[in-house]
Amino acid sequence: MVGCSSYRVACLMRLLTTLSAVDNVLERFVAFNDDRRLIEDEKILRAATESSRVHKALQKYTIDARLGGNINDNPRLLQKAMKRVKESRIVFTTCSGAGLGILRNARFDTVLIDEASQITEPCALIPLVKGCHRAVLVGDHVQLRPTVKPMGKALEFDKSLFERLWRGLDYPELARTMLERTSLAFHLKNSTRVDFERALQGMPRSPLLSVSHLSRGPPLRNGSVQ
């Protein structure tokens, strides 16, 4: 998926206090990309509202580093920053970060959300309403739910979009895949880019679930909801 020139991928991690989740995945992807040469290094972007909070070894992938300045301090860099985002092939950020700063008006063909079972549904929807045609949500539906206040828990606001789609109704546009630990460990050790794309062949290629499909009511025959 990363190697297809017609797609720009947003790789989004749940928001941690140190944002280390995003940096950890970015670090691993960079090492993998150095070995396999999937995309040009210049096409990898780490988006953050505060570049100083990004790990020092990865700050060269931030927009500030790519431009040689901060767009907040130098508004003339804004157009160059937007051009950088448009030309990128994969963007690493958080779900909330996908709607902030230079990414506010960015659109993504494909969205990959890690730890999706620990993200509240409103937060998960931020990147999914930005032109997404395919989304991959990775998580464990029996993990602890997102942390919310007691009133939110009473209203089931702690139920993630991942859990609701996993346990909910079947839709033509939705595919569920369970990866076994032993099989996954083997593939991570021996996989190539072709193996990853083969694993995605069973996933739907039609547009992402519509807003009506994401609502809580059961679908009717005409595609609307009750």
Side-chain angles (χ1 to χ4, degrees):
M1 190 191 314
V2 174
C4 180
S5 60
S6 62
Y7 287 99
R8 182 164 69 252
V9 181
C11 186
L12 303 122
M13 310 299 134
R14 66 189 179 96
L15 180 61
L16 301 179
T17 55
T18 62
L19 301 182
S20 59
V22 182
D23 290 344
N24 288 340
V25 174
L26 173 56
E27 183 178 25
R28 294 177 183 178
F29 177 80
V30 168
F32 185 85
N33 190 57
D34 288 342
D35 182 47
R36 308 298 173 88
R37 301 294 181 184
L38 301 179
I39 60 176
E40 299 176 25
D41 192 70
E42 290 292 318
K43 302 297 183 180
I44 303 173
L45 194 64
R46 170 67 168 95
T49 53
E50 296 183 43
S51 297
S52 60
R53 298 180 64 187
V54 177
H55 192 280
K56 290 184 178 180
L58 302 172
Q59 287 189 2
K60 67 177 184 178
Y61 296 100
T62 64
I63 296 178
D64 290 353
R66 296 295 194 195
L67 299 178
N70 190 308
I71 59 175
N72 295 321
D73 299 332
N74 187 354
R76 291 179 296 179
L77 295 176
L78 180 59
Q79 292 299 322
K80 292 183 179 181
M82 295 175 63
K83 185 174 183 291
R84 277 284 186 176
V85 172
K86 186 176 181 180
E87 293 177 349
S88 64
R89 292 289 305 284
I90 182 167
V91 177
F92 291 81
T93 187
T94 62
C95 283
S96 57
L100 299 173
I102 195 63
L103 297 183
R104 184 182 299 275
N105 297 318
R107 299 173 67 84
F108 300 100
D109 306 287
T110 302
V111 173
L112 169 62
I113 305 180
D114 191 24
E115 300 287 0
S117 57
Q118 297 185 36
I119 306 172
T120 62
E121 184 165 336
C123 191
L125 288 174
I126 294 174
L128 298 180
V129 298
K130 298 168 69 66
C132 174
H133 288 274
R134 174 184 287 184
V136 179
L137 276 63
V138 182
D140 186 346
H141 60 290
V142 297
Q143 265 188 332
L144 293 175
R145 287 181 170 182
T147 301
V148 299
K149 293 183 177 181
M151 179 60 73
K153 189 172 183 178
L155 297 173
E156 289 194 335
F157 284 174
D158 63 332
K159 181 181 290 187
S160 65
L161 175 64
F162 178 89
E163 180 183 351
R164 189 156 65 81
L165 291 178
W166 181 267
R167 298 181 183 276
L169 300 173
D170 292 323
Y171 299 103
E173 303 92 339
L174 178 65
R176 301 180 179 93
T177 302
M178 177 73 75
L179 295 178
E180 296 182 4
R181 182 180 297 274
T182 54
S183 174
L184 179 61
F186 173 80
H187 284 297
L188 287 177
K189 182 178 179 181
N190 302 279
S191 66
T192 64
R193 172 171 165 264
V194 176
D195 291 330
F196 181 68
E197 291 183 350
R198 186 183 305 162
L200 292 176
Q201 288 179 359
M203 294 190 174
R205 296 183 177 275
S206 54
L208 182 68
L209 295 175
S210 64
V211 175
S212 62
H213 281 168
L214 292 176
S215 63
R216 296 185 179 276
L220 299 177
R221 290 184 179 181
N222 61 4
S224 60
V225 294
Q226 295 179 346

